[in-house]
Amino acid sequence: MRNASLWRALLGVEDDVVIEGVEYDQDADVMVAHVRPRRAGQGRCGACGDRAPWYDRGEGRRRWRCLDLGTVVVFLEADAPRVRCPAHGVVVRQVPWARHGAGHTRSFDQQVAWLATACSKTAVTELMRIAWRTVGAIITRVWADTAAGTDQFAGLRRIGIDEISYKRGHKYLTVVVDHDSGRLVWAAPGRDRATLNGFFDALEASGAGRCAQITHVSADGADWIEAVVAARCPHAVRCADPFHVVSWATDALDEVRRQAWNTARRAGQTRPIGRNHARPGRIATGDAQMFKRARWALWKNPEHLTDRQHTVLEWVAKTDPRLHEAYLLKEGLRLLFQMTRDDPTATRQALDDWIAWADQAQIEPFVVLARRIDRYRDPILAAVEHGLSNGRIESINTKIRLITRIAFGFRSPQALIALAMLNLGGHKPNLPGRR
């Protein structure tokens, strides 16, 4: 065909594709380019690319959606014979312009992947004239190719592990982040030992001895994470995430506040209001109402309190010394993580003093917490000494939550993971024809 090089450039295909002809259907406003692989590229398995003997003509000619030319929809059309691969059996032969099993060309896939990481769902589907589920299938293919061509575990030394909910019904992803680069390096559905073992299996498969090269691991103190890390990276320094440790104290403080609120309610500091399920409802008054409203003042850091919340704390100190001591215990544990790394002995002594204080206070939720803190003593001290937290991974989780909203409608979590990896894994796709 004349001007074959020009047509190859317009259609986004390489020199290993022969353009046999181009026709335009004016009624359907569709252009079809008839193509075939060059002889050197024929007779290869579509799944693995190895040479394979011819089997049959398959189901005849088929079409692949290509990038539009202006406002015209474009398809590539070619024969789709089958070959017999020793590894994969009878499969459609490989074509150079599309991935195996795809109904779109590589350039089309690449543009959709770039748009999915840069635009809204509506913009992608309207511009490319495809369904959102099709976008999910495309980015899954693009990420699979990207992951196969890169070593995402190279240089991995300090990691953070956490889980994030991506769907109602207790559906979770386990995510692993590189502390040094801030990249999302791995994610998979589930939050149990088998899921996390899958990460370490992949890490070891990418290079012998890589599990032993992990020097630091930060996590939230979940038993399933602790057990797997201890087994797969026994020499790594395990750090308890400060945010989660302080959240344990905040939960214990809120339990004490609810106890004070319920005590005041039982003392009669309520009044009837309306009806609830055929029974009179009651609303807190007096001290019970103040305890209910004190929640935010007790939770917030002192430097962020408003004048009104300072007044609430002063009222708590006068009215319920037990609750006020629980607040001081929470603040004491929070300040522990702000101590300097230069004096590990002082940090250890401060933690011992806090555990003794919690025991002596005889506030049941904090007595239970003190036992838990004692069990995680070494990871907590390591977090202070090395200044390591799950701050990076919480930032990644926030971005994954946004991506989860965008990815609503995908058939499987694999599409969500692919979109997250393309956005946050340091491998953002390029537009076709650009580097």
Side-chain angles (χ1 to χ4, degrees), residues 278-346:
R279 293 188 304 173
R282 306 194 70 83
I283 189 172
T285 60
D287 288 355
Q289 186 180 52
M290 288 295 291
F291 283 130
K292 183 176 182 179
R293 294 177 176 176
R295 179 174 63 173
W296 299 111
L298 293 167
W299 280 9
K300 287 175 72 174
N301 297 342
E303 61 271 20
H304 298 148
L305 292 174
T306 64
D307 292 340
R308 184 174 180 179
Q309 289 169 337
H310 275 295
T311 303
V312 170
L313 278 183
E314 292 172 1
W315 177 87
V316 168
K318 294 177 183 177
T319 307
D320 193 329
R322 179 173 179 269
L323 177 57
H324 188 252
E325 186 170 15
Y327 168 76
L328 295 177
L329 281 164
K330 186 267 289 186
E331 283 301 304
L333 185 61
R334 185 179 68 85
L335 293 174
L336 178 72
F337 287 100
Q338 298 179 7
M339 296 185 66
T340 177
R341 313 179 196 175
D342 300 333
D343 193 351
T345 303

Side-chain angles (χ1 to χ4, degrees), residues 67-100:
L67 290 174
D68 296 349
L69 287 181
T71 60
V72 179
V73 175
V74 180
F75 290 94
L76 300 187
E77 184 177 292
D79 291 329
R82 297 191 295 177
V83 296
R84 185 191 295 276
C85 176
H88 300 98
V90 177
V91 295
V92 176
R93 77 170 180 193
Q94 184 185 64
V95 293
W97 55 83
R99 295 176 174 88
H100 181 61

Side-chain angles (χ1 to χ4, degrees), residues 45-317:
C45 170
C48 64
D50 290 343
R51 289 193 176 278
W54 186 86
Y55 181 74
D56 65 12
R57 296 185 180 276
E59 298 180 0
R61 294 180 70 80
R62 58 173 293 189
R63 289 182 176 183
W64 290 262
R65 174 77 184 280
C66 189
L67 290 174
D68 296 349
L69 287 181
T71 60
V72 179
V73 175
V74 180
F75 290 94
L76 300 187
E77 184 177 292
D79 291 329
R82 297 191 295 177
V83 296
R84 185 191 295 276
C85 176
H88 300 98
V90 177
V91 295
V92 176
R93 77 170 180 193
Q94 184 185 64
V95 293
W97 55 83
R99 295 176 174 88
H100 181 61
H104 309 87
T105 64
R106 290 180 180 272
S107 57
F108 189 95
D109 283 358
Q110 196 71 15
Q111 181 153 308
V112 169
W114 184 90
L115 289 169
T117 62
C119 301
S120 67
K121 177 192 299 186
T122 303
V124 179
T125 55
E126 288 292 328
L127 178 63
M128 303 306 293
R129 298 192 257 203
I130 54 176
W132 185 240
R133 286 188 175 182
T134 304
V135 176
I138 287 173
I139 60 176
T140 302
R141 293 196 296 266
V142 172
W143 170 244
D145 269 10
T146 303
T150 59
D151 184 1
Q152 64 221 57
F153 301 128
L156 206 57
R157 296 293 181 271
R158 305 194 307 163
I159 61 174
I161 303 172
D162 203 1
E163 76 275 358
I164 180 173
S165 172
Y166 71 92
K167 192 177 182 180
R168 287 182 298 178
H170 301 286
K171 303 293 186 181
Y172 289 88
L173 296 179
T174 298
V175 296
V176 180
V177 171
D178 181 0
H179 276 296
D180 295 316
S181 66
R183 292 184 304 109
L184 175 65
V185 296
W186 186 86
R191 57 162 184 171
D192 51 26
R193 298 187 183 190
T195 303
L196 189 54
N197 269 314
F199 162 71
F200 287 108
D201 289 342
L203 178 62
E204 194 67 21
S206 68
R210 282 192 167 178
C211 287
Q213 294 174 4
I214 299 296
T215 60
H216 297 76
V217 179
S218 68
D220 61 4
D223 292 338
W224 60 275
I225 296 178
E226 183 72 16
V228 173
V229 172
R232 304 299 295 267
C233 301
H235 303 297
V237 176
R238 297 189 287 280
C239 302
D241 176 46
F243 173 82
H244 285 90
V245 175
V246 174
S247 73
W248 299 344
T250 302
D251 291 342
L253 172 62
D254 202 51
E255 186 176 345
V256 178
R257 182 194 63 82
R258 289 197 304 271
Q259 291 173 357
W261 175 60
N262 286 323
T263 300
R265 283 172 59 86
R266 284 193 292 268
Q269 296 184 25
T270 61
R271 62 179 174 84
I273 178 173
R275 287 186 173 274
N276 183 21
H277 300 294
R279 293 188 304 173
R282 306 194 70 83
I283 189 172
T285 60
D287 288 355
Q289 186 180 52
M290 288 295 291
F291 283 130
K292 183 176 182 179
R293 294 177 176 176
R295 179 174 63 173
W296 299 111
L298 293 167
W299 280 9
K300 287 175 72 174
N301 297 342
E303 61 271 20
H304 298 148
L305 292 174
T306 64
D307 292 340
R308 184 174 180 179
Q309 289 169 337
H310 275 295
T311 303
V312 170
L313 278 183
E314 292 172 1
W315 177 87
V316 168

Side-chain angles (χ1 to χ4, degrees), residues 402-422:
L402 175 60
I403 292 170
T404 300
R405 295 193 196 101
I406 296 172
F408 180 79
F410 286 166
R411 287 180 178 270
S412 74
Q414 299 304 326
L416 167 62
I417 292 170
L419 186 56
M421 294 299 298
L422 289 172

